[in-house]
Amino acid sequence: MSAIAVMTSGGDSAGMNPGVKQFVEHSLERGLKPYLIYDGLEGMIDNRIKPASHRDVSGIIYKGGTIIRSSRSKRFLEESWRQRAYDNLRSHDIDKLVVFGGDGSFRALDVFYRDFGVPFIGVPATIDNDIFGTDYCLGADTALNIIRQAIDDVRDTASSFKRAFVIETMGRDCGYLALVSALTSGAEICLIPELPYDLDSLGRRFKREVQAGRTYIIAIVAEGVKFAAQLTEWLEDEIGMESRLTTLGHIQRGGSPTVHDRLMGFEFATLAINGLLEGRGGEVVCYKKSKMIYKPIGEITEGTYKINPLHLEAGKKLTR
Ligand code: F6P
């Protein structure tokens, strides 16, 4: 019986658990012997690799994070540690890999594929939704819903107190989480790395609006802009509204996966296994124009993700 393993790598995201559950169940349905690699690439180096059964993945579908844990591995960059990882896979007769993670993890696995020829298929999974070649990355919907809830809650207190609130979202260098959250929560300001902003123009606008009766302001700032604290001070000093900063931080990575992330986890895992059984390797399952397709890893790692132009256009009015 051919053996196949799964790992989750890089920043965890909701939907990984439903994906891992489907990985085990679909592998068994397809006549494969499933293995779980704990702690991502670090676990592959340290042989934390265990055969899996239905029992290992029962009751995990609603859980956030990843029950097989994750890591960001520096050791994997070195050939000698990759050799150790390969020897571990061989000791279990594993000759196929499914990897949930971001493009950094895919790049690492691609080197491993070229070193030792172990075919892998990547599943894009990051709350940042910033992987080139796919419209959707597992976990983004759950993170967006966590952010939506936080903004709705902050609005209650902001409007009760005549205050300005700056809410900083994650996303690394990508403004997707901030922009989609701002557009779907009716925020007044949104600053993201992809769009220039104009404080003078924002100042003129809000002074006018406050005079006309505006009682509170909600501003969403992507962490990549590195301007959340400064904007909070600016709102207080320039606009004259008492201001507070809320940094959402890692709560955006947690939480029970939404229905969308459960379903996407199911589909991504199914396609990853089917792709490997068709003889594919060094590819990523991408969700493009409402369809699941396979793309070679090189295509994914060479490009830069671009936010939907319609959303960017709509976001411009929140920057000036
Ligand atoms: O890539 C996911 C992410 O949550 C980013 O949005 C954030 O910049 C980063 O990971 C935080 O990394 P860590 O959990 O290592 O602090």
Side-chain angles (χ1 to χ4, degrees), residues 27-282:
S27 297
L28 292 169
E29 277 158 18
R30 297 291 314 257
L32 297 166
K33 185 168 182 199
Y35 280 81
L36 303 177
I37 301 175
Y38 288 82
D39 303 309
L41 296 170
E42 286 287 294
M44 189 152 83
I45 291 170
D46 295 330
N47 203 14
R48 291 194 284 274
I49 303 173
K50 299 198 177 115
S53 71
H54 285 289
R55 184 177 291 183
D56 294 294
V57 292
S58 77
I60 68 166
I61 203 161
Y62 72 97
K63 290 190 174 161
T66 161
I67 60 143
I68 53 174
R69 300 186 297 273
S70 188
S71 62
R72 302 191 203 273
S73 176
K74 288 217 166 60
R75 284 192 296 168
F76 205 76
L77 298 174
E78 288 173 37
E79 213 262 326
S80 57
W81 292 115
R82 292 199 296 276
Q83 179 68 53
R84 170 88 67 94
Y86 176 64
D87 294 342
N88 292 333
L89 290 187
R90 284 203 54 168
S91 71
H92 299 282
D93 290 326
I94 294 166
D95 58 6
K96 294 175 190 61
L97 280 174
V98 175
V99 183
F100 287 73
D103 49 5
S105 309
F106 299 157
R107 243 189 296 269
L109 259 297
D110 193 39
V111 174
F112 188 69
Y113 179 45
R114 280 187 269 122
D115 284 345
F116 304 105
V118 181
F120 79 96
I121 290 206
V123 170
T126 164
I127 64 164
D128 302 342
N129 205 52
D130 63 348
I131 300 177
F132 180 72
T134 183
D135 295 337
Y136 190 70
C137 301
L138 199 58
D141 186 60
T142 305
L144 286 171
N145 276 288
I146 301 257
I147 299 168
R148 176 196 53 73
Q149 186 64 56
I151 298 172
D152 291 351
D153 292 348
V154 161
R155 185 185 296 282
D156 288 344
T157 176
S159 58
S160 308
F161 250 94
K162 286 196 173 181
R163 276 177 175 168
F165 268 85
V166 175
I167 299 171
E168 188 190 75
T169 63
M170 278 189 165
R172 213 179 281 275
D173 303 320
C174 177
Y176 174 87
L177 286 178
L179 180 59
V180 172
S181 299
L183 293 178
T184 55
S185 300
E188 283 73 40
I189 300 175
C190 179
L191 307 187
I192 58 171
E194 292 82 351
L195 289 174
Y197 55 88
D198 180 344
L199 282 184
D200 292 338
S201 157
L202 282 171
R204 285 193 295 277
R205 179 178 137 210
F206 284 104
K207 279 178 192 155
R208 229 178 17 245
E209 292 188 7
V210 168
Q211 269 212 330
R214 168 175 290 289
T215 53
Y216 69 91
I217 298 169
I218 302 282
I220 313 298
V221 179
E223 65 175 347
V225 179
K226 299 186 173 63
F227 198 65
Q230 295 90 322
L231 184 68
T232 313
E233 267 179 39
W234 178 86
L235 283 162
E236 183 122 9
D237 298 345
E238 287 297 314
I239 309 301
M241 202 180 264
E242 199 181 357
S243 304
R244 294 287 186 269
L245 168 62
T246 300
T247 304
L248 295 181
H250 286 78
I251 63 162
Q252 294 161 95
R253 285 239 297 266
S256 179
T258 57
V259 169
H260 186 63
D261 276 324
R262 294 180 196 199
L263 196 60
M264 292 301 275
F266 172 90
E267 290 190 23
F268 275 133
T270 308
L271 270 280
I273 292 168
N274 291 350
L276 285 163
L277 285 173
E278 284 163 16
R280 294 176 182 276

